[in-house]
Amino acid sequence: MGSTNVVALEAAQSSATHGSVWVADEQTAGRGRSDHRWHSPAGDGLYVSVLLRPQMALSDALWLSLATALAVQAAIVTVTRLAPDIRWPNDILIGSRKCSGILVETSAFATQSDAPAMLRYAVIGVGINVNQPSFPAQLQALATSLRRESGREWAREPILIEFLRALDKEIAWLEAELRGATMEASLLERFAASSSWVRGKHVSVDEAGGYTGVTDGLDARGFLRVVGDDGMLHTVLSGGVRAL
């Protein structure tokens, strides 16, 4: 398959139902954020896309990335007992190397100018490096797999099942939270508790001309705040956060 997200987006436009799932053994055109390619060899990784039609505003779409990151983290912990971290907003790391990435692509309903745009659908693409024994030279220092970190191979099906179960729970909680009908801790609170990157991390940010600073929590929309080394408070809108 070229890309599970491309197939899912095409199906979404043809009225595929909420909760539809596409899984590939290999992707020949796997995609990540910012037009990056996702290394997707046959037999080694988990490549999955999920179509959602949530009742939420387009302006809240970032929360889907945060919720998905929590679901991926939970699935890896449940199956492998490894301790993955989340680099805001949607990279899953073990140590300093990335083992999973998330790409959320959305479409919105056309609305009147004074009404908030509402999501028509969202396609959530997830790639998890499961059994790769090694990576191309340009990725060796950046990427890892569950096999490399644990020293053993893992069946992909249990990870997929746990991810889908965790994602279903996260999306249900998110929709309830947006309706004001949940007693759970907020998504932002749970994300901050699950990521060492949200507060107190010295980082470089690849936007607004580039700057460095220390992370200072999430704002009410879920964007990352960074107190710059210049003393100014910055809001990170598009990722590109790396540790110094």
Side-chain angles (χ1 to χ4, degrees), residues 52-73:
L52 300 178
R53 299 185 184 275
Q55 300 297 311
M56 60 188 298
L58 178 61
S59 60
D60 292 327
L62 172 62
W63 290 39
L64 293 174
S65 292
L66 305 183
T68 304
L70 288 174
V72 173
Q73 183 187 54

Side-chain angles (χ1 to χ4, degrees), residues 22-216:
W22 291 262
V23 182
D25 181 62
E26 176 186 18
Q27 293 184 120
T28 57
R31 297 183 296 134
R33 296 177 68 251
S34 304
D35 295 325
H36 292 162
R37 293 290 300 273
W38 185 263
H39 182 61
S40 309
D44 289 334
L46 179 58
Y47 318 114
V48 55
S49 292
V50 181
L51 170 62
L52 300 178
R53 299 185 184 275
Q55 300 297 311
M56 60 188 298
L58 178 61
S59 60
D60 292 327
L62 172 62
W63 290 39
L64 293 174
S65 292
L66 305 183
T68 304
L70 288 174
V72 173
Q73 183 187 54
I76 293 173
V77 170
T78 298
V79 175
T80 71
R81 303 303 178 188
L82 292 169
D85 198 0
I86 306 174
R87 179 171 60 201
W88 182 93
N90 52 14
D91 289 339
I92 311 301
L93 309 182
I94 300 178
S96 62
R97 297 187 293 186
K98 183 173 175 178
C99 70
S100 177
I102 297 161
L103 175 64
V104 178
E105 299 181 276
T106 61
S107 176
F109 288 109
T111 62
Q112 298 178 351
S113 59
D114 59 344
M118 301 297 293
L119 278 179
R120 185 157 62 103
Y121 59 78
V123 168
I124 295 174
V126 173
I128 303 176
N129 298 331
V130 181
N131 288 319
Q132 287 91 334
S134 61
F135 292 88
Q138 68 272 23
L139 297 177
Q140 282 286 358
L142 303 174
T144 191
S145 67
L146 307 185
R147 175 181 173 180
R148 292 183 72 181
E149 296 300 324
S150 66
R152 55 160 289 185
E153 292 190 0
W154 297 94
R156 290 174 291 175
E157 291 83 356
I159 300 171
L160 173 63
I161 291 168
E162 290 298 333
F163 164 65
L164 294 175
R165 180 179 290 133
L167 181 64
D168 181 65
K169 184 183 297 184
E170 287 291 345
I171 297 304
W173 282 346
L174 174 55
E175 290 187 306
E177 182 176 344
L178 292 172
R179 295 194 307 270
T182 180
M183 298 299 291
E184 299 290 336
S186 75
L187 172 65
L188 300 186
E189 289 173 338
R190 290 187 296 109
F191 188 92
S194 300
S195 169
S196 71
W197 289 72
V198 168
R199 190 176 296 276
K201 178 80 76 173
H202 200 193
V203 297
S204 63
V205 181
D206 185 21
E207 69 177 43
Y211 57 90
T212 59
V214 177
T215 59
D216 190 44

